Amino acid sequence: MATPIYPWREGNTFELMMDGDRFFPRMLQAMAQAVCSIDIELYLVESGNSTQKVMDILLQAVARGVRVRCRFDSLGSRELQESDRQRLLQGGVDLRFYNPLNLLGGRSNLHRDHRKLVIVDGGVVFIGGAGFTDAFCIPGTEGRCLWHEQMLEVQGPVVADWVAIFERQWQVTERRGGRQPARLRRVRLPPHPSGSDGLARVSLTDGRTHRELVQALLANIARAKRQVWLATPYFAPTWRIRRALARAARRGVDVRLLLCGEVTDHPPVRYAGQRYYRRLLAAGVRIFEYQPRFLHLKTVLVDDWVSLGSSNFDHWTLHWNLEANQNIVDSRLTLVVEQSFTADFAESREWTLNDWLALPWTHRMKIRLWGTINRIAILWLDIRS
């Protein structure tokens, strides 16, 4: 059964929290105050100080009668120790793992649940790109978390849609088929809302029937009049997204990309993505590489439209993963997101076309090598752009 296309909901409130020193304590507080239910769907979960804090609160919640359900991706949670898994199970947490790895599973192992949701009492949801790891949640010696990330706290009618999404995913079988459908269908998107505050809708890729999340991105870039600012840690976009960005820049829209610099967990992905810089820069796209830390943000700002959540907007994410973003039209949040981008641009290196042309041959060889490997992987895995 196809995943539904969710409509715009009015009357929602939002709070954007940058970095784990802000969002992690708030999430812990919300879970500690739960009276009915805590539902968690995450990709990255590792044993450590942050996960121990979460586990303590979850077990305390179960002890006072709260229903606690956790669904972790089996690959992303491979560093969650068996002792921690058993502690959760023995404490009464309903724990499930998405698509357990199988040596004979072939391409079915590539299907991953990349969504990040924490829902408390069916009334508040936290959405973003973080997991339960110390790199996200625990500040280091300099007082900043190693990974630059954000979570959005949402309250209002749209939370019911997030509850429905979690319930739907909770009930599906644990293993997925290894072959994608021959053709994913295009869907009819809800029209852009006329209001300016409190509007939100859930945007998804379900991996089998549609990638509505991508359609929404392309539709909004096409209607952009002032700005298109996009932050992503892994810049390996489809050709449709690259074309949309270039076209927007050519018609005078302020198009900026906020990407990882040398501090990254996957250097080959950075080199592979840099092969796109020359044409984008020539089209007028401005490219910024964040310098201080590993940038893990997944945010898009297009005029009055904001989308943030789990999606990296790359080939791999959009083909294999379950993803979920919150799309928003809200004047206050738009301003907060714009200020966040501006602060990050100030800590970034901006590339120019001359910078790209002046790259040393060693750097060019890395771009060529990893770009070639990326293209081969796309062809071999039959990832349609």
Side-chain angles (χ1 to χ4, degrees):
M1 183 172 63
T3 302
I5 306 302
Y6 291 92
W8 287 97
R9 309 289 189 189
E10 299 178 347
N12 304 283
T13 60
F14 317 96
E15 182 178 357
L16 183 65
M17 294 163 287
M18 302 302 299
D19 293 325
D21 61 333
R22 287 195 59 202
F23 64 69
F24 189 55
R26 175 65 191 116
M27 293 167 65
L28 293 178
Q29 180 186 37
M31 289 187 284
Q33 295 174 345
V35 296
C36 297
S37 63
I38 301 173
D39 294 323
I40 301 173
E41 182 176 348
L42 289 179
Y43 174 74
L44 190 58
V45 182
E46 299 176 352
S47 293
N49 292 331
S50 57
T51 299
Q52 287 298 321
K53 292 177 183 290
V54 173
M55 290 172 57
D56 290 342
I57 289 176
L58 295 183
L59 295 176
Q60 292 168 10
V62 172
R64 64 177 184 270
V66 176
R67 182 194 66 187
V68 178
R69 297 182 293 178
C70 296
R71 185 181 184 91
F72 302 148
D73 183 83
S74 66
L75 178 64
S77 63
R78 64 191 182 278
E79 298 299 325
L80 181 64
Q81 297 175 2
E82 182 63 25
S83 59
D84 287 336
R85 301 179 187 217
Q86 291 303 316
R87 185 182 173 210
L88 288 171
L89 290 169
Q90 292 170 8
V93 173
D94 196 346
L95 179 62
R96 298 184 184 181
F97 294 90
Y98 178 78
N99 193 18
L101 296 174
N102 184 346
L103 291 176
L104 302 179
R107 294 203 302 176
S108 67
N109 287 318
L110 300 177
H111 288 283
R112 309 286 19 129
D113 186 349
H114 198 244
R115 295 171 182 168
K116 288 92 173 178
L117 307 175
V118 177
I119 307 171
V120 179
D121 289 338
V124 58
V125 60
F126 296 89
I127 305 142
F132 291 152
T133 77
D134 292 350
F136 280 124
C137 301
I138 305 295
T141 56
E142 297 182 358
R144 306 175 85 181
C145 295
L146 294 177
W147 288 19
H148 184 34
E149 187 51 274
Q150 64 188 356
M151 293 294 285
L152 180 73
E153 180 179 346
V154 182
Q155 299 185 52
V158 77
V159 177
D161 293 335
W162 288 112
V163 172
I165 289 165
F166 180 89
E167 292 289 347
R168 181 187 182 92
Q169 191 60 28
W170 185 258
Q171 299 300 329
V172 300
T173 55
E174 299 297 308
R175 188 169 300 283
R176 309 223 10 177
R179 179 173 297 177
Q180 287 284 86
R183 178 176 296 176
L184 297 177
R185 65 185 179 91
R186 292 183 61 83
V187 298
R188 184 182 297 275
L189 295 173
H192 191 79
S194 57
S196 61
D197 290 299
L199 294 153
R201 64 175 294 268
V202 173
S203 190
L204 303 174
T205 63
D206 72 355
R208 285 185 176 272
T209 58
H210 68 73
R211 298 176 191 149
E212 170 269 316
L213 190 152
V214 186
Q215 284 185 237
L217 173 68
L218 294 173
N220 279 278
I221 293 176
R223 60 175 284 276
K225 296 180 180 179
R226 299 187 307 276
Q227 63 190 144
V228 176
W229 293 358
L230 186 150
T232 183
Y234 310 115
F235 187 63
T238 67
W239 72 268
R240 289 185 177 90
I241 293 176
R242 300 196 305 273
R243 181 181 64 179
L245 293 171
R247 285 180 172 178
R250 290 191 185 103
R251 65 174 186 267
V253 176
D254 178 11
V255 181
R256 305 187 195 185
L257 302 177
L258 179 62
L259 311 177
C260 281
E262 294 183 0
V263 183
T264 175
D265 64 339
H266 292 300
V269 177
R270 174 174 175 257
Y271 288 120
Q274 285 180 340
R275 74 185 189 274
Y276 303 124
Y277 282 16
R278 180 174 182 175
R279 289 187 178 182
L280 290 171
L281 290 167
V285 176
R286 298 178 67 184
I287 299 176
F288 296 80
E289 288 189 344
Y290 188 69
Q291 298 300 304
R293 295 172 289 157
F294 175 40
L295 179 133
H296 199 253
L297 306 180
K298 308 144 193 318
T299 314
V300 187
L301 172 62
V302 182
D303 295 344
D304 63 341
W305 179 84
V306 173
S307 182
L308 62 86
S310 68
S311 179
N312 292 312
F313 295 109
D314 58 41
H315 282 288
W316 193 273
T317 283
L318 301 176
H319 187 79
W320 295 108
N321 292 348
L322 298 175
E323 301 286 358
N325 273 28
Q326 184 77 83
N327 292 353
I328 303 158
V329 174
D330 183 84
S331 58
R332 176 182 170 276
L333 183 69
T334 297
L335 179 60
V336 171
V337 170
E338 186 170 16
Q339 291 172 341
S340 173
F341 265 108
T342 301
D344 288 340
F345 289 145
E347 293 192 277
S348 301
R349 170 200 175 187
E350 182 174 4
W351 279 66
T352 66
L353 188 56
N354 286 336
D355 290 334
W356 201 98
L357 295 174
L359 285 174
W361 70 269
T362 52
H363 195 128
R364 290 179 181 274
M365 289 300 296
K366 293 176 182 179
I367 292 175
R368 182 179 295 274
L369 170 64
W370 293 112
T372 300
I373 292 173
N374 179 256
R375 284 192 292 268
I376 292 172
I378 290 171
L379 293 173
W380 180 59
L381 295 172
D382 192 25
I383 298 179
R384 297 173 175 82
S385 59

